[in-house]
Amino acid sequence: IMVTLKKLKTKLLQMLQNDFDTNEYAYYTNSTVEDYQRPCFFTQETIKSVDAINNYARQVRVEFVIEYLQETVDEVDMLIVAETIRNIFGKLFKVETTPVYIETFSYDIVGNENEVLQIIMEVSYTESVGIVTTDAEIMGSLSYKQRNEVR
């Protein structure tokens, strides 16, 4: 089963919405610039790297940025939300049957007036890429001699 960014983001949002209900919190992508309700979360994902492990698998690293905006700025609430999100994801979650590992988790309070909680998570997972074929001959023939050993 191939993990896609869409499946990964869908799983991330489902996990967030289990603790931060959509009746209380709105969810947006970073392309939304106006007319958003608070409190809300903005989410964005970026593929950071795709590295070959061997001919059959590669490791994918994705960075997720989650920004939390409140109705009224409250630093204690921001810290509670950051801790809650860290606990939601732990060190591992699954997208269908594929394990996704939390490699790094960090947060900061950003914005012109320090009014936005920004959480950055880097996750990784391994995906199969199928069999890679080459034109090289695998093996023409093999011969061997057996050695008799006396102990």
Side-chain angles (χ1 to χ4, degrees):
I1 297 173
M2 181 78 137
V3 173
T4 62
L5 273 181
K6 181 180 177 183
K7 288 179 185 178
L8 198 54
K9 183 161 188 172
T10 299
K11 181 65 175 183
L12 173 117
L13 288 173
Q14 286 172 348
M15 293 174 74
L16 278 175
Q17 290 169 0
N18 283 341
D19 280 50
F20 299 100
D21 192 294
T22 56
N23 292 325
E24 292 181 47
Y25 299 89
Y27 290 84
Y28 302 102
T29 63
N30 272 357
S31 61
T32 306
V33 268
E34 53 186 59
D35 295 331
Y36 53 88
Q37 299 173 350
R38 293 178 184 224
C40 63
F41 292 97
F42 284 83
T43 59
Q44 178 182 353
E45 63 288 329
T46 307
I47 292 181
K48 299 305 276 184
S49 65
V50 179
D51 299 312
I53 296 171
N54 55 39
N55 285 345
Y56 309 104
R58 58 187 171 202
Q59 184 174 35
V60 180
R61 286 186 175 270
V62 179
E63 180 181 83
F64 279 105
V65 178
I66 302 168
E67 292 183 335
Y68 171 57
L69 284 75
Q70 304 163 306
E71 285 185 70
T72 306
V73 177
D74 178 350
E75 185 178 355
V76 172
D77 179 56
M78 286 184 193
L79 298 175
I80 291 169
V81 167
E83 188 69 19
T84 302
I85 291 173
R86 188 173 68 85
N87 290 331
I88 288 170
F89 293 100
K91 288 299 290 170
L92 167 74
F93 63 94
K94 287 190 174 185
V95 174
E96 295 175 351
T97 59
T98 303
V100 178
Y101 299 92
I102 307 296
E103 299 293 343
T104 62
F105 180 96
S106 63
Y107 67 88
D108 197 2
I109 297 174
V110 299
N112 294 336
E113 299 173 19
N114 291 328
E115 76 281 10
V116 179
L117 171 66
Q118 183 180 68
I119 296 169
I120 299 174
M121 292 190 311
E122 189 170 302
V123 303
S124 70
Y125 59 92
T126 302
E127 67 182 8
S128 295
V129 292
I131 298 174
V132 176
T133 58
T134 65
D135 294 336
E137 182 178 326
I138 294 175
M139 185 185 307
S141 64
L142 172 70
S143 64
Y144 66 94
K145 292 183 182 181
Q146 185 173 353
R147 187 176 4 168
N148 293 330
E149 291 185 27
V150 178
R151 293 185 184 211

